Coordinates of all heavy atoms in Angstrom, one line a residue:
E209 N 9.2 -7.1 1.5 CA 9.8 -7.5 2.7 C 10.6 -6.5 3.4 O 10.4 -6.2 4.6 CB 10.6 -8.8 2.6 CG 11.1 -9.4 3.9 CD 11.9 -10.7 3.7 OE1 12.0 -11.1 2.5 OE2 12.3 -11.2 4.7
E210 N 11.5 -5.9 2.7 CA 12.4 -4.8 3.3 C 11.6 -3.6 3.7 O 11.7 -3.0 4.8 CB 13.5 -4.4 2.3 CG 14.4 -3.3 2.9 CD 15.4 -2.8 1.8 OE1 15.6 -3.5 0.8 OE2 16.0 -1.8 2.1
Y211 N 10.6 -3.2 2.8 CA 9.8 -2.0 3.1 C 9.0 -2.2 4.4 O 9.0 -1.4 5.3 CB 8.8 -1.8 2.0 CG 8.0 -0.5 2.1 CD1 8.4 0.7 1.5 CD2 6.9 -0.5 2.9 CE1 7.7 1.9 1.7 CE2 6.2 0.7 3.1 CZ 6.6 1.9 2.5 OH 5.9 3.0 2.7
L212 N 8.4 -3.4 4.5 CA 7.6 -3.7 5.7 C 8.4 -3.8 7.0 O 8.0 -3.4 8.1 CB 6.7 -4.9 5.5 CG 5.7 -4.8 4.4 CD1 5.0 -6.1 4.1 CD2 4.6 -3.7 4.8
Q213 N 9.6 -4.3 6.9 CA 10.5 -4.4 8.0 C 10.8 -3.0 8.5 O 10.8 -2.7 9.8 CB 11.8 -5.1 7.7 CG 11.6 -6.6 7.6 CD 12.9 -7.3 7.1 OE1 13.9 -6.7 6.8 NE2 12.8 -8.7 7.2
V214 N 11.2 -2.1 7.6 CA 11.5 -0.7 8.0 C 10.2 0.0 8.6 O 10.3 0.7 9.6 CB 12.0 0.1 6.8 CG1 12.1 1.6 7.1 CG2 13.3 -0.4 6.3
L215 N 9.1 -0.2 8.0 CA 7.8 0.4 8.5 C 7.6 -0.1 9.9 O 7.2 0.7 10.8 CB 6.7 0.0 7.6 CG 5.3 0.5 8.1 CD1 5.2 2.1 8.2 CD2 4.2 0.1 7.1
D216 N 7.7 -1.4 10.2 CA 7.5 -1.9 11.5 C 8.4 -1.3 12.5 O 8.0 -0.9 13.6 CB 7.7 -3.5 11.5 CG 6.6 -4.2 10.8 OD1 5.5 -3.7 10.7 OD2 6.8 -5.4 10.5
S217 N 9.7 -1.1 12.1 CA 10.6 -0.5 13.0 C 10.2 1.0 13.3 O 10.3 1.4 14.5 CB 12.0 -0.5 12.4 OG 13.0 0.1 13.2
V218 N 9.8 1.7 12.3 CA 9.4 3.1 12.5 C 8.2 3.2 13.4 O 8.1 4.0 14.3 CB 9.2 3.8 11.1 CG1 8.5 5.1 11.3 CG2 10.5 3.9 10.4
L219 N 7.2 2.4 13.1 CA 6.0 2.4 14.0 C 6.3 2.1 15.4 O 5.7 2.7 16.4 CB 4.9 1.5 13.4 CG 4.4 1.8 12.0 CD1 3.4 0.8 11.5 CD2 3.7 3.2 12.0
E220 N 7.2 1.1 15.6 CA 7.6 0.8 17.0 C 8.3 2.0 17.7 O 8.0 2.3 18.8 CB 8.5 -0.4 17.0 CG 8.9 -0.9 18.4 CD 9.8 -2.1 18.4 OE1 10.1 -2.6 17.3 OE2 10.3 -2.5 19.4
Q221 N 9.1 2.7 16.9 CA 9.8 3.8 17.5 C 8.8 5.0 17.8 O 9.0 5.6 18.8 CB 10.8 4.3 16.4 CG 11.7 5.5 16.9 CD 12.7 5.9 15.8 OE1 13.0 5.1 14.9 NE2 13.2 7.1 15.8
L222 N 7.8 5.1 17.0 CA 6.8 6.2 17.2 C 5.9 5.9 18.4 O 5.2 6.8 18.9 CB 6.0 6.4 15.9 CG 6.7 7.0 14.7 CD1 5.8 7.0 13.5 CD2 7.2 8.4 15.0
E223 N 5.8 4.7 18.9 CA 5.0 4.4 20.0 C 5.5 5.1 21.3 O 4.8 5.3 22.2 CB 5.1 2.9 20.3 CG 4.3 2.1 19.3 CD 4.3 0.6 19.6 OE1 4.7 0.2 20.7 OE2 3.9 -0.2 18.7
R224 N 6.8 5.6 21.2 CA 7.3 6.3 22.4 C 7.0 7.8 22.3 O 7.3 8.5 23.3 CB 8.8 6.1 22.4 CG 9.3 4.7 22.6 CD 10.7 4.5 22.9 NE 11.6 4.8 21.7 CZ 12.0 3.9 20.8 NH1 11.6 2.7 20.9 NH2 12.7 4.3 19.8
E225 N 6.4 8.2 21.3 CA 6.1 9.7 21.1 C 4.6 10.0 21.6 O 3.8 9.1 21.5 CB 6.2 10.1 19.6 CG 7.6 10.0 19.0 CD 8.5 11.0 19.5 OE1 8.0 12.0 20.1 OE2 9.7 10.9 19.3
H226 N 4.4 11.2 22.1 CA 3.1 11.6 22.4 C 2.5 12.4 21.2 O 3.2 13.3 20.7 CB 3.1 12.6 23.6 CG 1.9 13.4 23.8 ND1 0.6 12.8 24.1 CD2 1.6 14.7 23.5 CE1 -0.3 13.8 24.1 NE2 0.3 14.9 23.7
F227 N 1.3 12.1 20.9 CA 0.5 12.9 19.8 C -0.9 12.6 20.0 O -1.3 11.6 20.7 CB 1.0 12.5 18.4 CG 1.1 11.0 18.2 CD1 0.0 10.3 17.8 CD2 2.3 10.4 18.3 CE1 0.0 8.9 17.6 CE2 2.4 9.0 18.1 CZ 1.2 8.3 17.7

Side-chain angles (χ1 to χ4, degrees):
E209 183 177 1
E210 179 184 348
Y211 186 96
L212 294 171
Q213 286 177 350
V214 171
L215 177 61
D216 287 341
S217 176
V218 167
L219 293 177
E220 182 178 357
Q221 183 176 340
L222 290 172
E223 289 180 13
R224 300 190 289 270
E225 297 285 349
H226 162 72
F227 47 86

